[in-house]
Amino acid sequence: MATAAARSIGEPGGERGEFGHGWKVVTAALIGIGCGLSPLPFYTMGVFAPHLIAAFDWSVAEVMAGLMITTFSVVVGAPLAGALSERYGTRPVALISIVLFSLSFMSMALLQGSLVQFYITWGVIALVGSGTLPITFTRTVNRWFDKRRGIALGLAMSGTGVFGILCKPYLAWVIGDWGWRAGYVAIGAIPLVLALPIAWAWFREPAGEAAEHLTAAEKLIGVTKGEALKSWRFWTIALAMLIVSFALGGPVPNLEGILKDRGLDAATILSLTPLIGLSAIAGRIVGGLLLDRFWAPAVAFVILGLPSVACWVLSQGTYDASTAAFAILMIGFALGIEYDVLAYLTSRYFGLRAYSGLYAILYVFFALGSGIAPLVFGRIRDVTQGFGPALLTSAIALPLAAALFLLLGRYPRFEEDAA
C-alpha cells in the first residue's frame, strides 16, 4: 500500500492515479447508464406518443401513464437490484439487466392496441431494467475512486444527458423511414449493441493488482443497512431528495406547456427546450468537480436551492425568451447534479458496505417524487388554468428541502471505525 506522501504526488493511489486505473470503469458506467432505464424511456416517450395515438386511438394521458407504471415498477426493481448487487456483485447484475432491458424494450414493437399489454410491458421493462440504473454502476465507480469520486460520478452520470440528446433525432430518423415499430427495435437494440460489449470488457470490481491502489475509504467498509436505516441522516437525505425531485421533476415534462401559456411561439419553444439536456450535462461535470473540492451538503444546498429563482421566474405572467432560457439553464444544471449528490452522499455518510441497498432505497424516494410530479403539475394546470401555483410551490419547496442537507454534519471516518 502506498504511503500518504506517495499517494499525494500521483502514485497509483493518488488523485491522478485513480483515473489511470479507473477510466475504463467510468466509461463503461457512462455508456451503461446512458443506454439504460434512466434516460431511454423518458426521452423517447414523447416521440413515440403521436404514433401510438394515431395507430391505436389512445389518448395522450393513456400513453403517458406508461411512465407512471415504470415509476411504480422501479419501487420494486430498484431495491431488488441493490440486494442482488450486494450478494452477487454489480457486474453480473448489470450485464444481465442490460440484456433483459434491451429485449423487453424491443418487444414494444409487438403492440397490438391493448393498453393492458402496453402497461404490462412497461412494468416488465422497468423491473428487469433496474440493474441498468445508477444503483449498480455507481457502486463500482465509488470503489475505484476516492479523491476524485465526485468528478468520476459526474462523468458516469453524464451518460443520461448525452444519450438523451442523441436518441431523439436518431429515433425520429428511424420512425420517419421505417415506422414506429422499427423505432422500438432500434432504441431497444442500443443497450445490446453498445453497452453490453463495453460493460463486458471494462466494467469490473477492483481485484488483484488493480485493488492495490485502494485506500481503506474505498474498500467495502461502512455501516450495515440496518444501522443506516436507524440513522436520522438517512431519512433526512430521503426526505430532501423526495421534495427536490418533485419540485424539479414537475416543470421539465411540462416545459412546453409552461412556455406556451406565457405566449412564446412554437419555434422559440423548440429552440429553448434542448437547453435542459445541455445544462444537465454541464451540471454533472461541474457539480462533480465541486463535490470533490467542497463539503457536499453545501454544494447541494446552493445548486439545488437556486432553481427556486427559476421556478419563480417561470411562474410570472410574461417574460421574454432570454429570461426563459436563463431559468431553463438553472433548472437543467440542478437536474444534472441530483444523481451525483445522491450517490456521493450515500457513499460518504454510510460507506460502501451496504451501498447498493441503501442507494436503491433512496432512489425509490427520488423516483416517487419525479414520477408523480408531472401528473400533479398537469392536474393543477387543469384546475387553475395555469402552471403558476405549481411553479410557486416548487419555488418555496426547493430552498427548504435543500437546507435539509446542511443538517448532515461532517463525513464519518470509517477508516478509524474499522481500525
Side-chain angles (χ1 to χ4, degrees):
M1 180 78 65
T3 65
R7 293 171 61 83
S8 67
I9 59 174
E11 287 197 2
E15 295 184 29
R16 286 172 290 177
E18 289 185 337
F19 270 99
H21 285 85
W23 69 269
K24 291 182 179 179
V25 173
V26 172
T27 303
L30 184 154
I31 296 173
I33 294 172
C35 295
L37 181 61
S38 290
L40 291 189
F42 297 96
Y43 281 101
T44 60
M45 180 69 87
V47 182
F48 281 116
H51 302 280
L52 296 176
I53 292 168
F56 303 128
D57 198 28
W58 295 342
S59 69
V60 175
E62 287 172 331
V63 174
M64 291 301 172
L67 293 180
M68 279 295 296
I69 301 297
T70 65
T71 298
F72 293 131
S73 190
V74 163
V75 170
V76 177
L80 178 60
L84 292 174
S85 294
E86 289 179 359
R87 182 167 184 175
Y88 300 107
T90 54
R91 175 178 164 82
V93 173
L95 292 175
I96 293 172
S97 185
I98 288 172
V99 174
L100 296 179
F101 172 70
S102 181
L103 296 176
S104 59
F105 200 97
M106 285 191 284
S107 73
M108 278 289 193
L110 303 176
L111 288 173
Q112 298 299 322
S114 168
L115 276 173
V116 174
Q117 179 191 8
F118 182 64
Y119 295 149
I120 290 176
T121 305
W122 272 123
V124 172
I125 288 171
L127 185 63
V128 302
S130 292
T132 68
L133 293 170
I135 295 164
T136 53
F137 290 101
T138 59
R139 179 180 185 266
T140 300
V141 170
N142 278 322
R143 290 203 65 199
W144 282 88
F145 292 86
D146 183 30
K147 298 295 185 182
R148 307 294 294 275
R149 182 174 294 173
I151 184 59
L153 289 171
L155 289 170
M157 299 287 196
S158 66
T160 57
V162 172
F163 284 87
I165 293 172
L166 295 178
C167 69
K168 281 194 174 185
Y170 167 66
L171 178 58
W173 166 65
V174 172
I175 292 178
D177 285 357
W178 293 287
W180 64 267
R181 295 185 188 275
Y184 276 117
V185 175
I187 292 295
I190 293 176
L192 203 60
V193 173
L194 185 58
L196 181 63
I198 295 176
W200 182 274
W202 288 352
F203 186 66
R204 301 178 184 278
E205 299 278 0
E209 293 183 2
E212 291 181 0
H213 77 289
L214 300 178
T215 66
E218 294 166 311
K219 294 182 179 179
L220 293 177
I221 61 174
V223 301
T224 65
K225 184 185 292 185
E227 290 170 337
L229 293 178
K230 295 177 183 178
S231 166
W232 63 268
R233 286 186 174 89
F234 181 87
W235 297 108
T236 299
I237 295 172
L239 176 61
M241 291 307 302
L242 175 67
I243 299 173
V244 167
S245 65
F246 177 89
L248 292 177
V252 176
N254 293 293
L255 190 57
E256 289 85 353
I258 292 171
L259 298 178
K260 184 178 179 181
D261 282 355
R262 292 301 178 259
L264 297 181
D265 60 86
T268 301
I269 293 173
L270 187 63
S271 68
L272 290 175
T273 51
L275 296 177
I276 282 284
L278 294 173
S279 56
I281 295 174
R284 297 204 191 286
I285 305 302
V286 177
L289 290 169
L290 293 174
L291 290 173
D292 283 334
R293 286 160 174 76
F294 303 100
W295 185 47
V299 175
F301 170 69
V302 173
I303 296 182
L304 296 178
L306 276 178
S308 170
V309 177
C311 291
W312 179 82
V313 167
L314 292 176
S315 72
Q316 300 308 296
T318 58
Y319 41 78
D320 57 22
S322 60
T323 303
F326 172 77
I328 292 169
L329 287 170
M330 192 177 294
I331 292 174
F333 194 86
L335 285 172
I337 200 176
E338 274 185 313
Y339 282 151
D340 299 21
V341 164
L342 186 56
Y344 195 89
L345 293 179
T346 304
S347 68
R348 289 303 186 198
Y349 282 100
F350 309 110
L352 300 182
R353 183 177 179 181
Y355 173 86
S356 294
L358 295 175
Y359 184 95
I361 296 172
L362 291 172
Y363 188 89
V364 166
F365 284 87
F366 175 87
L368 285 173
S370 59
I372 65 175
L375 291 181
V376 173
F377 268 60
R379 179 59 178 165
I380 292 175
R381 168 65 176 80
D382 292 338
V383 173
T384 65
Q385 301 304 306
F387 287 100
L391 289 165
L392 287 174
T393 300
S394 289
I396 296 170
L398 281 169
L400 295 177
L404 293 174
F405 293 115
L406 300 177
L407 304 176
L408 295 176
R410 69 179 183 88
Y411 305 138
R413 299 287 297 276
F414 295 118
E415 303 95 323
E416 296 177 359
D417 294 343

